[in-house]
Every structure is written in structure tokens, then in C-alpha cells.
Amino acid sequence: MDWWLTDSEGIVASWLLIFAGCNALRGVYCWYRDRAARRTVQGLLAGQLHPVQASFLLAGMAEAAETAVCMLLDDGVLKTSYSGELRPTHRGRKQTDPALRALAEEIHKTPATTTTKLYEIVDQDRFARFRKLVEVRSPKVRMTASGRSQTLMLATTMVTAIGMGVSAAAAEAPVPFYPEADRTVWLYVCMGAWAVQWGPACLWPSEKRRRWKALDAFCKDKADRARAALPDDTRQAIARAKERPKPPPPQPRGSVRSGSQGGSWADSVEVDSCSSCGGCGGD
């Protein structure tokens, strides 16, 4: 026991084992925590998944809305222009999926003088029922990893490196493998131990990393199959309406005012009182 607490090599080994133990405990906890999620993913891969729900799991509401629009276009419920403007038709197949039916009903309520763009389905209040149905009916599975694991293990590398230095100072242990070296070299030993631990800690998945590669491929295949039923030019028209157009730039100060704001045309033009026209007392 004394070797682990007072000997220089023992101090290094003990703190590295503490770091390894923290990784093992975190791994067991994540394995136990994700049991239900693994069963859900296995069930999805073995069963059927609606293309709209698959798109939502893959990339969120924007992709789900695009897939839904493509399916309604394929069923003849909607029609689109070159720029992606959606209009309802008075034909097409009756929708059995609640989310698709809600979207079709809402677009049919659109006045005849207006159209619907794809980006409006994602954020406008009138399509809230469609979005709610997509979220409620989609499987409850987290598609990205928890970022706490990587953060916790990176924090553990700092704690173990500092703990190693504190233990060496308290035990007045010589530098490992170089007993004749000055004890300030322990600082470099601790930094080296931190660097050794930093690599394995970074192997833990970050919050942006996708967790289920097989499910991602399965969902992408479902979404692509639903969209492939449309001609290429129709899919391109839908893609043109995905992003909200940028607002016009603000008018610069001193621009010409319209007649509705009052004043004559001459009043609306800013002219220097000392212009070349002789405004300062010319003959």
C-alpha cells in the first residue's frame, strides 16, 4: 500500500488507474442507461417507419416537412410551381396518415390568391398541428450522443493531473525514473500524464456526434425512397423553397421620398446650399 501512496512510480500508477476506473464506471453507466434506447432502435430497424418520421429522426422538422410535401405531391394532393410555390388540388388520394392529412387540410385552407412555401411549414403557427403530430408520432430516441461523457472525462484528466502533483508534494516523492532530478520536474510529469489521459478522454462521443449509424442509414433510405417518386425538376423546385428569402436591404438615409410622404420632388432631393449652381448669392 505504501508503494501506491509514497513511491513516485506508485503515485503515477495509482492516479492513472483512478482515471481508468472513472472511464470504466462511466461506460457501465452509459450502457445501463441506454438499454431502452437500444431496444427501440433495434425495433425500428426490424419494423416499419413512416418516411416523414424517418426524416424527422434524421434531420429534424425541415426534412420532415420536405418529405411530407413530396409525398403529397406524389399523391396528387398538391401541385407546385417552378419556384416551389405550393397550391392545393381538388383531386388526389385520401391521406390516412394523421400528419399528412393535417398538412393537406391546412394548405387547402390557404386563400386562392396566396401560395405556401416549404419554409413556412417549419415555423408558421397555422402548421403547428402538423408539426405536433410529427413530433408525437415519431419514436422517442435520442439521435445524438450525450456531451456530458466527453466533458466529464476531460475534467477528470485535469483532476487526476492535479491530484498527482498534490500527492507527490505531500509524500515528498522524488521524480519517477529520475530520482536525482529536481522535484520541480514533477510539473512536467503531471503535464505528460494529463496529455496521455487527454487522448482517451477525447474518444468519448461529443454531443454533436450521431449515435446510431445504422438507424441513420435506414432513415435516409426511407426518405430517399419517398422523394424518388417525384421527377427531378419537381424535387428541385421544392428544394428552391426550403430557405426563407433574405429581407431587402434597408434604404440608405437621404434617399428620394415617395410622393405619398408629402412635399415636392425638389424638397425630396438634398442639395448643398453652396452648390455649383450659384446658390450662395450668384448673379
Side-chain angles (χ1 to χ4, degrees), residues 17-230:
L17 284 176
I18 290 173
F19 173 74
C22 291
N23 280 265
L25 289 175
R26 184 65 184 178
V28 171
Y29 167 76
C30 292
W31 175 84
Y32 182 81
R33 179 197 61 186
D34 296 338
R35 290 181 304 165
R38 287 195 299 272
R39 288 195 296 266
T40 301
V41 171
Q42 291 172 0
L44 292 175
L45 294 175
Q48 298 293 327
L49 186 63
H50 195 275
V52 175
Q53 300 170 7
S55 299
F56 180 74
L57 292 178
L58 186 64
M61 190 57 68
E63 290 297 317
E66 183 174 357
T67 300
V69 167
C70 289
M71 295 184 71
L72 292 177
L73 286 168
D74 183 49
D75 288 343
V77 178
L78 302 179
K79 60 182 179 180
T80 183
S81 65
Y82 174 81
S83 59
E85 297 174 338
L86 302 172
R87 294 181 183 273
T89 65
H90 297 288
R91 52 186 176 82
R93 290 190 289 268
K94 183 178 180 181
Q95 300 301 307
T96 58
D97 182 76
L100 289 178
R101 186 166 60 248
L103 179 59
E105 290 174 355
E106 194 58 45
I107 294 180
H108 271 82
K109 296 178 184 178
T110 306
T113 56
T114 60
T115 59
T116 301
K117 289 293 187 72
L118 181 60
Y119 62 82
E120 297 175 352
I121 302 175
V122 180
D123 53 21
Q124 285 195 358
D125 292 339
R126 63 193 182 108
F127 297 106
R129 182 165 171 261
F130 162 76
R131 297 194 297 268
K132 183 178 180 180
L133 287 172
V134 172
E135 293 176 358
V136 169
R137 293 173 57 83
S138 296
K140 302 300 183 290
V141 55
R142 182 185 175 95
M143 299 297 290
T144 56
S146 171
R148 294 181 180 178
S149 295
Q150 188 180 87
T151 302
L152 287 172
M153 290 304 106
L154 288 174
T156 303
T157 63
M158 297 296 297
V159 172
T160 53
I162 294 173
M164 187 181 300
V166 172
S167 299
E172 297 182 355
V175 177
F177 308 110
Y178 296 98
E180 67 280 1
D182 190 271
R183 289 180 58 204
T184 56
V185 179
W186 263 107
L187 176 63
Y188 299 102
V189 174
C190 294
M191 293 175 61
W194 171 80
V196 169
Q197 299 170 88
W198 183 82
C202 288
L203 295 178
W204 284 93
S206 63
E207 191 171 356
K208 295 181 179 180
R209 188 182 300 181
R210 304 287 293 185
R211 299 180 68 184
W212 318 106
K213 294 183 179 180
L215 182 58
D216 282 344
F218 180 75
C219 291
K220 187 175 186 304
D221 180 68
K222 283 283 185 179
D224 290 344
R225 286 176 181 269
R227 300 179 186 185
L230 295 176

Side-chain angles (χ1 to χ4, degrees), residues 265-281:
W265 177 85
D267 294 334
S268 65
V269 180
E270 293 184 354
V271 180
D272 188 0
S273 60
C274 296
S275 66
S276 59
C277 298
C280 290

